[in-house]
Amino acid sequence: MDSLRIQGSGPLRGSVPISGAKNAALPILCAALLADGEHCFRNVPALRDVRTMGRLLETMGLSFSMEKNTVDIVGRPVGEPYAPYELVKQMRASVLVLGPLVARYGRAKVSLPGGCAIGARPIDQHLKGLEAMGARVELSAGYVNVEVPKGRLEGAEIVLDFPTVTGTENLMSAAVLAKGRTTLVNAAREPEVEELGRLLNKMGARVEGAGTDVIVIEGVEALEPVDHAVIPDRIEAGTYMAAAAATRGDVLLEGVTFDHLEALAAKLRAAGVVVEREGEGVRVAASGELRGTNVTTLPHPGFPTDMQAQFMVLMCTATGRSAITETIFENRFMHVPELNRMGAIIDINGRTATVEGVPKLQGASVMATDLRASASLVIAGLIAEGTTNVLRVYHIDRGYERIEDKLSPLGANIVRVSE
Ligand code: EPZ
């Protein structure tokens, strides 16, 4: 297993290109199940999770090829609408094939994703919505079996208990080929949901309100293949913004959508970080003392849970106290014990971690099991005295394209060590 060896190395300076959004690309690739023919997806990040999704689509009979950041998929009728445990266990986002398969074939057998390091992460809302649309759902032997007795889903009004991101995406994808109108109430408003709505409409669907909390979908008879470029990754961008601020550097992020970063920008500015739009990019700069700042994660447009760990590292060397509350996942503080081993002072009480700022962190060998927690440990290594080894780098490779190749040109002293 690879690790990253990092020497604390002063302020990051320069510019860094931001890749396409992982959490937009994954549901978009699944949408290729909805229409036969040649699809082309551009600005797709070259990530482990994207390759895993490609393998899953290939097992169902689609052809998948990726050249740099362009993915070509030839959609064709799948033999079996089946997603095996072997692939789903590697990536819970595999559950995103469920909506398209049931929409297109009236049935699907998909392994339950199971929990993961950050929480139980059930899919009850996904299944409740499909049942409302006329599907029969049965759980057995770790699989969810979905059948539509009438053969075709029917539009319904669905009120989600929680604005689940992939739940909204699954149900939107299911509804585009259903008979009649579907209304999703309390839908997730993340930019990646809005992007999927845009993509589905380009394929001939009739989706209105994606990106708001009420989405209305008029079912159509068939969809067409599509050529589409994926939006930038706001979480990758946020991670580099936190790194620039934590190292007291001055970095220009190229190719971001600033509107997707408002909640993060507000908290960075509250802490004393300079955050400025610059053309198609954003400039982040900090120097000297930063202020301890409280954060509570919330569904979009609130502060994103996927930025909680990275913001916490920034607070570790701010002046004063910060209260960081995680409301989305029940176990998303796994970076805390690792940061405390590096000299941070963080105390967890239920869903709130209280950070007391310290002047410096000390390098150590650290490990996390959550993609974003791992990224936060890389940031910690950049600002620590001495050497930090971040183990199990495959977690990072799931969500960050060539993280060491993007940080080195900014002045970071970071190398990948293959075990
Ligand atoms: C998406 O996961 C993202 N993944 C996550 O990013 C992100 O952290 C999360 O949304 C929240 O923003 C992808 O888009 C592929 P949820 P998702 O359904 O859809 C509960 C990353 O780092 N819930 O919005 O799985 C659930 O347990 C990943 O890129 C139910 O109870 O998140 C959780 O506590 C990590 N029942 C909360 O809602 C359901 O049916 C949020 O889940 C669905 C969800």
Side-chain angles (χ1 to χ4, degrees):
M1 274 186 236
D2 290 2
S3 62
L4 289 172
R5 182 177 304 145
I6 307 162
Q7 300 286 349
S9 49
L12 297 181
R13 293 194 193 293
S15 61
V16 60
I18 296 303
S19 302
K22 167 176 85 80
N23 290 349
L26 293 175
I28 282 173
L29 295 178
C30 294
L33 289 162
L34 291 166
D36 294 347
E38 296 186 2
H39 301 260
C40 179
F41 300 115
R42 305 173 194 283
N43 198 34
V44 178
L47 299 171
R48 191 185 164 87
D49 274 7
V50 167
R51 289 189 289 276
T52 301
M53 186 62 84
R55 276 205 307 283
L56 176 58
L57 295 175
E58 283 179 325
T59 60
M60 285 191 260
L62 278 65
S63 84
F64 176 95
S65 64
M66 186 165 194
E67 184 65 38
K68 209 169 163 356
N69 295 110
T70 298
V71 166
D72 291 305
I73 294 178
V74 177
R76 52 174 81 99
V78 301
E80 263 308 299
Y82 166 60
Y85 175 67
E86 292 66 35
L87 282 169
V88 175
K89 74 178 177 183
Q90 294 180 38
M91 179 184 64
R92 48 173 296 101
S94 309
V95 75
L96 283 164
V97 300
L98 189 58
L101 287 175
V102 179
R104 182 90 187 275
Y105 302 100
R107 63 192 177 91
K109 178 178 179 183
V110 175
S111 169
L112 281 165
C116 75
I118 61 180
R121 301 181 74 181
I123 59 169
D124 56 294
Q125 299 295 301
H126 305 230
L127 303 179
K128 178 183 95 170
L130 290 173
E131 286 175 323
M133 296 168 76
R136 198 166 55 213
V137 172
E138 183 207 288
L139 305 182
S140 70
Y143 279 82
V144 57
N145 294 288
V146 183
E147 289 280 345
V148 183
K150 290 187 177 173
R152 183 182 181 188
L153 290 170
E154 292 183 338
E157 163 137 331
I158 300 163
V159 182
L160 292 171
D161 297 353
F162 177 88
T164 155
V165 174
T166 50
T168 301
E169 291 164 346
N170 247 336
L171 294 173
M172 210 163 50
S173 301
V176 292
L177 291 178
K179 183 168 175 291
R181 167 180 297 185
T182 297
T183 304
L184 294 179
V185 180
N186 195 25
R189 299 162 58 185
E190 272 68 7
E192 294 76 27
V193 174
E194 183 178 7
E195 168 78 345
L196 179 62
R198 241 189 317 269
L199 179 274
L200 291 170
N201 285 342
K202 272 174 86 168
M203 294 176 70
R206 293 173 57 196
V207 177
E208 286 196 16
T212 74
D213 61 347
V214 178
I215 304 176
V216 179
I217 303 119
E218 297 292 348
V220 296
E221 295 307 311
L223 296 176
E224 295 300 318
V226 70
D227 186 322
H228 184 80
V230 173
I231 54 171
D233 193 316
R234 62 193 171 99
I235 304 300
E236 185 199 28
T239 304
Y240 288 113
M241 291 166 76
T247 60
R248 306 306 191 264
D250 187 338
V251 175
L252 174 67
L253 286 81
E254 296 164 340
V256 301
T257 304
F258 191 87
D259 296 350
H260 298 165
L261 295 161
E262 295 283 8
L264 174 63
K267 286 297 178 180
L268 289 172
R269 287 168 174 154
V273 179
V274 171
V275 181
E276 288 165 347
R277 285 175 195 256
E278 280 205 7
E280 288 298 300
V282 63
R283 177 173 164 260
V284 178
S287 58
E289 287 201 359
L290 295 179
R291 290 184 289 275
T293 304
N294 297 339
V295 158
T296 297
T297 65
L298 286 170
H300 194 79
F303 189 93
T305 175
D306 291 349
M307 278 301 304
Q308 178 255 107
Q310 301 91 313
F311 194 82
M312 187 183 289
V313 179
L314 178 62
M315 292 296 100
C316 285
T317 61
T319 301
R321 178 173 300 177
S322 310
I324 296 177
T325 302
E326 172 59 59
T327 69
I328 306 296
F329 290 107
E330 64 266 29
N331 182 33
R332 204 169 196 179
F333 285 144
M334 287 163 299
H335 42 290
V336 169
E338 298 302 288
L339 292 172
N340 283 340
R341 292 178 56 240
M342 297 177 73
I345 299 176
I346 309 170
D347 181 42
I348 297 176
N349 183 356
R351 291 223 166 186
T352 297
T354 303
V355 183
E356 291 292 345
V358 296
K360 265 281 179 194
L361 297 181
Q362 281 74 45
S365 284
V366 291
M367 176 171 69
T369 52
D370 157 23
L371 154 62
R372 307 303 174 182
S374 300
S376 75
L377 296 177
V378 171
I379 298 174
L382 295 175
I383 61 174
E385 276 172 345
T387 303
T388 297
N389 293 302
V390 180
L391 310 178
R392 295 192 181 176
V393 162
Y394 62 86
H395 287 295
I396 297 180
D397 295 339
R398 291 189 49 197
Y400 292 88
E401 209 177 26
R402 311 185 327 277
I403 194 165
E404 68 272 24
D405 296 347
K406 290 198 177 185
L407 284 171
S408 299
L410 298 174
N413 182 335
I414 178 171
V415 291
R416 182 179 291 255
V417 177
S418 298
E419 300 302 318

